[in-house]
Amino acid sequence: MNRPNILWICTDQQRYDTIHALGNSVIRTPNLDRLCDEGVAFTHTYCQSPICTPSRTSFLTGLYPSTVHGNMNGNENYNLPENARLVTARLFDSGYDSGLSGKLHLASPWEGEEKRVDDGYRKFWYSHDGVKDYNNANQYWTWLKSIGCFDEVMDTSSSKPEFRSGVKYHRDFPSELHQTTWCCDRAIEFMNEARDGPWLMSVNIFDPHPPYDAPESLVSNIDPDTMPKPPFTDSDLKVQKRLSSHLFQSNPHIPNEGQKKLIANYYAMIELIDHNVGRLLNELERIAQRENTVIIFMSDHGHLLGDHGLVNKGCRFYEGLVRVPLIISCPRHFKTGLKSNGLVELTDLTPTLCGIAGIDSGWTHGQSLLPILTGQSNPQHHRDFVRCE
């Protein structure tokens, strides 16, 4: 195949069971459903760590987190072994013009924009999340201020902070001013730049990561009483209390009525993501690049919405936490409408992307998905096991 463009959409903390076409009858995701129809949905994809930095370090190199010294969040620097490189840098070296909007999170952003590494991105629209700034490094906040909408969007008066800095979204702000939309606006801007060769655009949306901050117009359209009941038995509480480490994870509790509202807001965030995926698809068609663009939709890890008495990420290996969505679509070159139920790791993305670009993936634990995508291997088996650390 000719070297196609690559639109790589990665959400943050999205469970595997949040797409209508893949079995969730409650959530409304018409554009992700469309991607499933126009591509291959890998239904049993597993991240290599249930927290952000180790997972992202892993899938961007195709190596397990412990191999690339990425075992937890909060690291000041990102230090790769000499013989490991980010796949985005490999593609840049091969001639891809590369851009990023949103977060990267290979290192901590607490002192400002996280320290850049050899990441390959020419355009770097950095916004780790929507509700915090780091020494004026959050370009989403800079944009809000430049258009005079910061006070309309951000509520700085809360005495009960929802997320570290105490800043949160106003409940009724418009969807077009959300960080999710801003990330996709930057992607549309990048896709429309004049260039001679192929491009790679990483759209790294912060949602549906807490805080649960979907615009009220979306939340109000979801009935909390229709939310699925989390898997839970009374014995879960005893099991959780035996585990002394609660890093990132909540204290165990019996799922309650408040859990329904939490799930409804989580779904609303995903529905906003879905809307913006539709905008990206429509723009690719408008500029006649859809047929020559590989679209990847995925998440770095999942989230426990009351499953087994827990509500956060980290330090467990339940399905809702380590199993994530993965859809790959390029109708001209890949199979369409296919559900692949074989075991897949996110490490498999690096050799897949390098195969698409026609370059060497180097040292990797991943196994290319191209044989399944092109119909050359059994879609119901890819790996004998998956590893999560």
Side-chain angles (χ1 to χ4, degrees), residues 36-283:
C36 290
D37 289 339
E38 297 176 355
V40 180
F42 296 92
T43 64
H44 288 72
T45 301
Y46 291 83
C47 66
Q48 277 46 78
S49 176
I51 55 176
C52 292
T53 293
S55 177
R56 291 167 183 266
T57 300
S58 178
F59 71 68
L60 282 165
T61 59
L63 298 166
Y64 293 127
S66 55
T67 305
V68 286
H69 312 153
N71 296 100
M72 67 176 296
N73 288 2
N75 50 309
E76 182 179 355
N77 296 296
Y78 174 59
N79 299 305
L80 273 181
E82 285 188 12
N83 53 347
R85 294 195 71 205
L86 299 183
V87 65
T88 50
R90 293 182 187 275
L91 267 63
F92 175 79
D93 289 348
S94 76
Y96 273 78
D97 183 30
S98 301
L100 173 144
S101 61
K103 67 184 294 183
L104 185 57
H105 209 183
L106 299 179
S108 165
W110 309 139
E111 300 302 322
E113 180 184 291
E114 66 183 81
K115 295 178 181 179
R116 292 284 298 277
V117 296
D118 179 18
D119 54 43
Y121 293 115
R122 176 180 65 84
K123 297 298 285 286
F124 198 73
W125 287 289
Y126 185 75
S127 172
H128 182 81
D129 59 62
V131 293
K132 295 197 299 296
D133 196 15
Y134 309 88
N135 296 324
N136 297 314
N138 190 333
Q139 293 186 41
Y140 165 64
W141 276 34
T142 301
W143 172 75
L144 285 176
K145 293 172 182 176
S146 73
I147 62 173
C149 290
F150 183 82
D151 291 335
E152 177 184 353
V153 173
M154 292 297 174
D155 178 6
T156 59
S157 64
S158 173
S159 61
K160 293 182 178 180
E162 293 188 11
F163 192 55
R164 293 197 185 220
S165 66
V167 178
K168 62 180 181 179
Y169 288 107
H170 289 290
R171 291 173 61 86
D172 58 351
F173 73 102
S175 298
E176 57 267 27
L177 296 179
H178 197 283
Q179 194 240 24
T180 292
T181 305
W182 178 85
C183 286
C184 294
D185 286 343
R186 304 288 73 76
I188 289 171
E189 179 181 338
F190 183 81
M191 291 188 296
N192 277 279
E193 289 188 20
R195 57 176 63 82
D196 295 328
W199 51 261
L200 161 72
M201 181 66 204
S202 295
V203 188
N204 292 345
I205 297 164
F206 184 68
D207 278 1
H209 190 297
Y212 305 96
D213 54 19
E216 181 61 25
S217 59
L218 295 177
V219 179
S220 62
N221 286 328
I222 299 178
D223 181 359
D225 288 334
T226 65
M227 295 299 98
K229 187 177 180 180
F232 175 82
T233 64
D234 290 340
S235 63
D236 280 320
L237 296 182
K238 183 177 181 180
V239 170
Q240 303 306 341
K241 289 177 180 178
R242 289 172 57 195
L243 302 173
S244 60
S245 173
H246 296 292
L247 185 63
F248 293 107
Q249 197 47 264
S250 64
N251 291 320
H253 67 279
I254 299 173
N256 52 35
E257 287 298 308
Q259 203 78 54
K260 296 179 180 179
K261 295 180 180 179
L262 181 151
I263 298 172
N265 208 310
Y266 182 82
Y267 277 23
M269 290 191 283
I270 293 171
E271 291 189 2
L272 178 58
I273 290 168
D274 179 85
H275 170 74
N276 279 282
V277 168
R279 293 179 60 227
L280 295 173
L281 288 170
N282 292 340
E283 185 64 15

